[in-house]
Amino acid sequence: MAESNVKVLGTWASPFVMRVKIALHLKSVRYEDVEEDLLAPKSELLLKSNPVYKKIPVFFHAHNPICESLIILQYIDEVWTTSASTILPSDPYERSQSRFWAAYVDDKFFPALRRLVIGATEEDKKAALAEVVEGTVVLEGAFGELSKGKAFFGGDNIGFVDIALGSLLGWIEVIGKQCETKLVSEAKTPRLVQWADCFSAHEAVKDVLPDVDKLADFGLKLRAKILKALAPTN
Amino acid sequence: MSDEIILLDFWSSPFAMRVRIALAEKGIEYEAREEDLSNKSSLLLKMNPVHKQIPVLIHKGRPVCESLIIVQYIDEVWSHKSPLLPSHPYHRANARFWADFVDKKIYPIGKLVWGATGEVQEAAKKELIESMKVLEGELGDNPYFGGESFGFTDVALIPFYTWFYSLETCGDFSIIANCPNLVAWAKRCMQRESVSKSLPDQYKVYCFLMELKKKFEAK
């Protein structure tokens, strides 16, 4: 039975929603999964619980809504402290490093990925692809620094950065297939390739990552919706 | 000295101001090194190779980058004095949310109000006023965003008070007419020494931003 008053408003396809679910699985917290249809108009619940951005995920705990995936992750980490799994490290310097790299994923890497999908011209897409590949190389370096020879950015177990980046793996694969390139390649980022396999197989992750073909199909529909919204109106 | 604290700084950066305020709130002594952003120091490039931007806090020889991350680091290391984040996880999440809102809305939209012209500027002005009203709504009747005490969201937002003259002059509107409570909040924050000593004069900032605007328009 779900722990009373723990709810995730989201969708199976969203990497940001996946982050929240992975965190809850890590902490062994059971929750109610409320699906928002991204292809339909936004629900009353979404508009009411996230009036500022009107976006998923929204996390509910004891009727309080919390928005923004990385903020939700920190909340989960701070509330469910008896669990053996911690999401952020305890040392303040290591915490700052984890926050830095998660912010890099959201502020630099993800926007480049997005530009690769919705880029208007071939030139835009080429530039975005170069940025994405450069980003993976930077993240490969970060992995070396943070993992200290262990399997994950978080060390022996998955942590904040693993969840932030790992949640994008499904989309990275779908977008890569579309561009006919392996975005996380053995040649440039061998450690990330290995990390991706370990992450995807993790107990807290494997049931949350979506089927890649299902995601690709959904991706086409979502892309059409986004491009339609961005198109200039006559 | 192993405990030495260095801040790679720039006088008009609202992000650097956040760090100065946090350090002052905690009573921490540090060395501020003013960067020439047109000729970045080798130390800056070494300490922040990813973004090559200030502020960077160097503590015990190790860099911490990104202003809100630095402020949280300072709050966690010097936790015994003037806590900036509240203790309850829900209130902490809320403080982080609104600080992030400043980064997502106030900063980029504000830049367009003082930096752009024509239709782009007009649209930005409308959105900025709307965003400021949203912040006023969040502030409510409280003296600070942190409630009774000055906190994380206040630190995140108050540096943008240095932009008010620039926003009003370029955008041709009055912030106090639209958001009187926000202006009252800003003046309240300015009564704190940690804030007043960390923020430069608004007119000086205006002159600097107009120089910057000219440079971009020339390109």
Side-chain angles (χ1 to χ4, degrees), chain A residues 50 52-53 64-68 71 74-75 78-79 92-93 95-96 99-101 103-104 107-108 138, chain B residues 48 50-51 62-66 69 72-73 76-77 89-90 92-93 96-98 100-101 104-105 134:
Chain A
N50 190 357
V52 176
Y53 300 119
N64 289 324
I66 295 152
C67 308
E68 295 300 292
I71 293 175
Q74 291 181 84
Y75 176 83
E78 289 169 9
V79 169
Y93 184 72
R95 289 161 75 83
S96 75
R99 286 177 175 135
F100 177 88
W101 287 109
Y104 177 86
D107 299 340
K108 296 280 172 194
V138 171
Chain B
N48 192 357
V50 176
H51 302 299
R62 298 186 301 187
V64 184
C65 307
E66 297 297 286
I69 294 175
Q72 287 183 88
Y73 173 80
E76 289 170 11
V77 172
Y90 179 68
R92 293 161 73 83
R96 286 176 177 134
F97 177 87
W98 290 106
D100 180 62
F101 178 87
K104 283 185 159 78
K105 296 279 178 185
V134 168

Side-chain angles (χ1 to χ4, degrees), chain B:
Chain B
M1 204 165 299
S2 62
D3 274 0
E4 189 179 53
I5 300 165
I6 298 170
L7 173 64
L8 300 183
D9 200 359
F10 188 72
W11 70 276
S12 67
S13 159
F15 304 104
M17 284 174 222
R18 290 169 169 176
V19 181
R20 283 183 235 148
I21 294 168
L23 289 165
E25 283 286 316
K26 303 282 186 175
I28 298 164
E29 287 196 9
Y30 65 98
E31 182 196 338
R33 290 194 196 169
E34 188 75 4
E35 281 285 329
D36 174 359
L37 296 181
S38 61
N39 183 20
K40 295 177 182 183
S41 72
S42 55
L43 182 63
L44 174 56
L45 299 176
K46 182 179 159 202
M47 291 288 153
N48 192 357
V50 176
H51 302 299
K52 305 176 175 59
Q53 280 176 341
I54 55 94
V56 179
L57 188 78
I58 307 172
H59 183 213
K60 299 183 184 181
R62 298 186 301 187
V64 184
C65 307
E66 297 297 286
S67 62
L68 295 181
I69 294 175
I70 299 171
V71 173
Q72 287 183 88
Y73 173 80
I74 290 168
D75 204 34
E76 289 170 11
V77 172
W78 288 275
S79 54
H80 52 280
K81 188 180 174 191
S82 306
L84 295 170
L85 271 168
S87 47
H88 191 283
Y90 179 68
H91 298 309
R92 293 161 73 83
N94 203 44
R96 286 176 177 134
F97 177 87
W98 290 106
D100 180 62
F101 178 87
V102 175
D103 279 359
K104 283 185 159 78
K105 296 279 178 185
I106 305 297
Y107 170 65
I109 300 168
K111 253 172 86 170
L112 289 176
V113 173
W114 59 253
T117 52
E119 263 175 52
V120 174
Q121 187 192 41
E122 264 314 298
K125 185 172 121 187
K126 287 195 176 82
E127 222 193 317
L128 183 69
I129 294 170
E130 207 182 286
S131 300
M132 285 182 161
K133 289 190 164 154
V134 168
L135 282 168
E136 258 196 340
E138 174 58 21
L139 180 66
D141 293 325
N142 295 316
Y144 300 107
F145 285 92
E148 289 302 314
S149 28
F150 182 78
F152 191 65
T153 306
D154 304 282
V155 175
L157 181 60
I158 192 60
F160 291 96
Y161 180 60
T162 60
W163 280 13
F164 278 23
Y165 181 80
S166 307
L167 295 169
E168 288 179 317
T169 306
C170 297
D172 187 27
F173 71 109
S174 160
I175 296 177
I176 199 169
N178 284 283
C179 304
N181 287 344
L182 200 65
V183 175
W185 161 83
K187 293 190 169 156
R188 192 175 301 125
C189 291
M190 285 296 284
Q191 289 178 345
R192 298 178 80 81
E193 208 180 313
S194 64
V195 176
S196 60
K197 292 211 160 154
S198 302
L199 267 50
D201 169 69
Q202 289 192 30
Y203 185 71
K204 210 176 156 199
V205 171
Y206 170 72
C207 294
F208 172 79
L209 293 178
M210 293 306 99
E211 277 301 312
L212 213 62
K213 185 172 174 173
K214 262 187 236 159
K215 271 190 212 156
F216 284 126
E217 280 171 352
K219 281 193 183 167

